[in-house]
Amino acid sequence: MPTVTYAGHDVTVNDEGFLTDPGQWTEEMAPQIASAEGIGELTPRHWQVIRFMRAQYQAKGTGPTVRVLGKTSGVTVKELYQLFPKGPAKVAAKIAGIPKPRGCI
Amino acid sequence: MGTAIEKVSIIVSKGSLEGIYPALIMANGARAEGIEANLFFTFFGLDAVTKKRHEHVKVATVGNPGLHLATIVGALPGMPGLMTSYLGHKMAKLDIPPIPEFIELISDSGAGLYGCQASCDLFGITKDDLIEQVQGIITVGEFYAMAAGGQIIFT
């Protein structure tokens, strides 16, 4: 597993760049991960999604899919894709330091 | 990882429930992965985006061996509706959206939806007959131009 340094801390990530241990994540790491995903600045709307992903993961052990995000996060599907053009659930999960959500829909 | 897929163009040619869902799932899944996706509805696949039909798409109960139902039973009046309703309940339990809602989700995700010119001519369908998410009725040549550089999936 590769090791990368975010916000001065070494963390291990998988081949796709997702943190292997969500416990290693801190909010300070988010902007750097986002920047690597092509998101220059994290707005309060980005943070709403990131914190929601994190909370859902802690409650359920898995992050929500885009459809679930659109129905429950308070951010519409259209806006989700504007905030995270490369895939809202996938990219927000990576920035939130949680595993990539599984699920086909 | 090899070369990642960056664009898919999915052709929907069938008008049955089992003909339409796989294409919608693949399109939605592509967008969720950040892959550009376009859907091209042709022949009976147009039912998925036709205003008066998209809420009434049914499972094929005849000529569908996967259903494990005697053909003569599948042909009984009401069978397509019954099987569709049965599957619909199972899908709702899994939070799989009905076709109209699914197509709205896919459109909101930034995928392009298009009708096939030849099929629309054949069935006498105009843009007004199609749901608002359909961006246009295009020719096969325009489809290929749009699909250039990506993968094409025919369903």
Side-chain angles (χ1 to χ4, degrees), chain B residues 9-78:
Chain B
S9 297
I10 303 171
I11 302 163
V12 189
S13 70
K14 296 186 178 69
S16 58
L17 192 89
E18 73 275 20
I20 292 169
Y21 264 103
L24 300 187
I25 291 170
M26 293 192 76
N28 182 57
R31 291 300 302 127
E33 291 292 326
I35 298 168
E36 185 183 342
N38 288 306
L39 281 161
F40 184 69
F41 297 89
T42 185
F43 263 79
F44 302 107
L46 277 167
D47 277 6
V49 288
T50 303
K51 280 177 193 165
K52 64 176 180 188
R53 299 207 192 273
H54 72 148
E55 289 173 347
H56 309 288
V57 170
K58 294 200 166 50
V59 180
T61 56
V62 170
N64 186 354
L67 218 50
H68 308 290
L69 198 67
T71 293
I72 195 160
V73 177
L76 292 173

Side-chain angles (χ1 to χ4, degrees), chain A residues 4-5 7 9 21 28 39-40 54 66 73 79 82-84 88 90 94:
Chain A
V4 291
T5 307
H9 295 277
D21 176 9
E28 288 71 39
I39 297 169
R54 192 85 196 160
V66 181
S73 70
E79 190 184 350
Q82 284 160 6
L83 294 169
F84 305 96
K90 177 181 157 184
K94 193 182 276 188

Side-chain angles (χ1 to χ4, degrees), chain A residues 26-44:
Chain A
T26 62
E27 289 203 352
E28 288 71 39
M29 296 176 183
Q32 201 178 337
I33 308 174
S35 169
E37 289 295 314
I39 297 169
E41 189 197 349
L42 289 176
T43 65

Side-chain angles (χ1 to χ4, degrees), chain B residues 77-138:
Chain B
M79 275 312 279
L82 193 68
M83 286 308 293
T84 303
S85 153
Y86 169 71
L87 260 186
H89 285 300
K90 292 191 81 155
M91 289 169 108
K93 269 191 190 163
L94 290 170
D95 200 28
I96 300 174
I99 286 173
E101 188 187 334
F102 207 174
I103 287 189
E104 195 181 332
L105 168 68
I106 291 167
S107 172
D108 284 351
S109 78
L113 276 71
Y114 301 91
C116 158
Q117 180 77 62
S119 304
C120 287
D121 290 349
L122 181 64
F123 297 137
I125 290 172
T126 66
K127 181 108 179 24
D128 286 344
D129 297 317
L130 303 177
I131 57 172
E132 58 175 317
Q133 284 87 2
V134 176
Q135 289 163 358
I137 296 172
I138 62 173

Side-chain angles (χ1 to χ4, degrees), chain A residues 52 54-64 68 72:
Chain A
F52 185 84
R54 192 85 196 160
Q56 287 288 300
Y57 175 75
Q58 274 155 2
K60 297 181 177 169
T62 178
V68 176
T72 56

Side-chain angles (χ1 to χ4, degrees), chain A residues 74-91:
Chain A
V75 181
T76 64
V77 169
K78 266 187 192 171
E79 190 184 350
L80 282 166
Y81 276 95
Q82 284 160 6
L83 294 169
F84 305 96
K86 291 285 176 192
K90 177 181 157 184
V91 173

